[in-house]
Amino acid sequence: MIRKRTVSTAGLGVGLLTALAGLAAFVPIQASADDPIQVGAPIPLTGPLASDGEVMRQGIRLAVQDLNEQGGLLGRELEITEYDIGDLTPDKLQSAASNLIERRNVDVLINGYGAMGPDIPAFCPYDQPYIHNAATPNVTDMMERMNCSNIFMATDLGGAFGRIAFDQMLEMGHDFDNNRIVILHGPYDWELDKAEGIAFSAREAGWDVAMTEEVSYGTSEWGGILSRIRGHDPALVVIELLDPDAVWRFVSQLRDDPPANALVYTGYTGSMPAFGEFASGGDADGVLGMTLSAHDPDSQEGQAFMESWREAYGEDPPYSIAAQIYDHVMIWANAVEEVGDVRDFDAINRTIHESEYEGLTGSFAFNEYRYVYAGSDLPPYLLQIQDSEVRMLMRNAEQLRDAVGSSWLD
């Protein structure tokens, strides 16, 4: 039987209250003890995040394949039920909850990120564990107000990653021409939170944050913004926008008439497969990006993961979210094995919260707010395009290779 908790909506915005409304009255599929365990995957398979959504799909499939090859979970096979959440709007997230939980009766929800807000009122009313990556102060506050005990963010807050990323850029060995930075960011909480983290660390380091501006998804012409950027003559240009096509257009147009000696940092978008495909065409060497955490290609576990990914998909795993979402599945599977009952959601949620899991990307220990801290135990990576490929530059504070200047620098 589907159990749905009553949650407090006091203090939530109109948009999120709308997302709570209209729960469809589906008749759920009733599973027997012999039926496959159902892994629900609400992931973006269309829209600007589709290339990363495909990586999420591949990572979940590989984890489920590995579990099934080991005899399944509690002696039962696992199956995946996907739902396309597209551009991450509240209605898409609520529809995902209705379809995956109310109709399909899945046992867990796994994704990389689910709109950084609207996913909380969509999935919080249920008991099934929901593991994702999009932690922001707004999300953690909402979870506390709604008393969400089933939601886990397997990453740190966006602002923490912003502060770490700026510190990494200062330590990567590049001689910046001046101490001026320009920051562009998208409208999502994650983008704003990370941009604010970068700005905070920049000011702490004595830099001048010369310009901050919100930009839109789907932007194709950047002339006016680039003109204002050039007027500030920055040494570092930051764009935090989870839209690979728009960010690549920005980089391409900036490259045609760049600020003198400016490096460009593209945030998490720089790790997405679609952005890497653009970069492979050349003339983007030196552009920086990041990923929240990734497999270590020098470790035995990382090499085994890379080999499994190559066998399954014929290419290396992207740095964006491949290993992270594999870990998400395994965090849940480990808790299920410990509890011994895939439908004892309360016990599974307690076990995830109270246990520490050693995964491909690092160590996961969820704090009281149900997210994890980035650092030496779960290291973020600074990336850079070198020789037309996305390469790891720094692992937390550890330098992995020498930085290069942008291909358009004097």
Side-chain angles (χ1 to χ4, degrees), residues 217-246:
Y217 278 67
T219 300
S220 58
E221 294 298 328
W222 293 92
I225 290 175
L226 287 172
S227 178
R228 293 195 291 278
I229 289 174
R230 293 185 190 102
H232 292 290
D233 189 29
L236 180 60
V237 178
V238 169
I239 178 165
E240 288 285 351
L241 181 70
L242 298 175
D243 182 344
D245 184 68

Side-chain angles (χ1 to χ4, degrees), residues 60-180:
I60 294 170
R61 287 182 175 180
L62 187 59
V64 166
Q65 173 186 306
D66 287 351
L67 287 168
N68 282 335
E69 288 177 354
Q70 296 165 19
L73 196 55
L74 305 179
R76 294 167 60 188
E77 286 194 351
L78 295 89
E79 288 184 350
I80 304 166
T81 301
E82 297 173 351
Y83 190 87
D84 179 18
I85 57 175
D87 53 0
L88 313 186
T89 54
D91 61 306
K92 297 279 180 60
L93 272 298
Q94 188 55 62
S95 182
S98 298
N99 278 270
L100 293 174
I101 301 176
E102 296 277 351
R103 176 181 288 173
R104 301 299 302 177
N105 201 13
V106 299
D107 299 296
V108 66
L109 297 162
I110 303 287
N111 75 11
Y113 37 83
M116 296 143 275
D119 50 339
I120 306 306
F123 300 137
C124 177
Y126 303 94
D127 295 321
Q128 283 89 335
Y130 169 45
I131 304 176
H132 68 117
N133 262 358
T136 69
N138 176 57
V139 168
T140 57
D141 289 348
M142 192 186 313
M143 286 171 55
E144 186 173 11
R145 292 198 303 273
M146 296 178 67
N147 193 28
C148 303
S149 60
N150 64 320
I151 297 180
F152 301 92
M153 297 164 288
T155 187
D156 207 336
L157 300 178
F161 284 111
R163 293 188 292 273
I164 291 170
F166 185 80
D167 292 343
Q168 287 175 320
M169 287 186 278
L170 288 188
E171 297 298 324
M172 68 183 183
H174 178 74
D175 186 15
F176 288 99
D177 199 49
N178 60 56
N179 286 357
R180 283 188 297 278

Side-chain angles (χ1 to χ4, degrees), residues 181-259:
I181 181 174
V182 164
I183 302 174
L184 309 178
H185 63 83
Y188 283 122
D189 280 349
W190 163 264
E191 296 156 333
L192 177 58
D193 190 32
K194 190 153 175 276
E196 289 177 344
I198 291 174
F200 176 86
S201 283
R203 292 188 179 102
E204 286 285 298
W207 280 53
D208 172 25
V209 181
M211 170 182 166
T212 60
E213 187 167 327
E214 182 175 310
V215 295
S216 299
Y217 278 67
T219 300
S220 58
E221 294 298 328
W222 293 92
I225 290 175
L226 287 172
S227 178
R228 293 195 291 278
I229 289 174
R230 293 185 190 102
H232 292 290
D233 189 29
L236 180 60
V237 178
V238 169
I239 178 165
E240 288 285 351
L241 181 70
L242 298 175
D243 182 344
D245 184 68
V247 172
W248 179 249
R249 290 176 184 271
F250 172 82
V251 171
S252 298
Q253 292 170 36
L254 179 144
R255 181 185 60 199
D256 293 339
D257 184 15

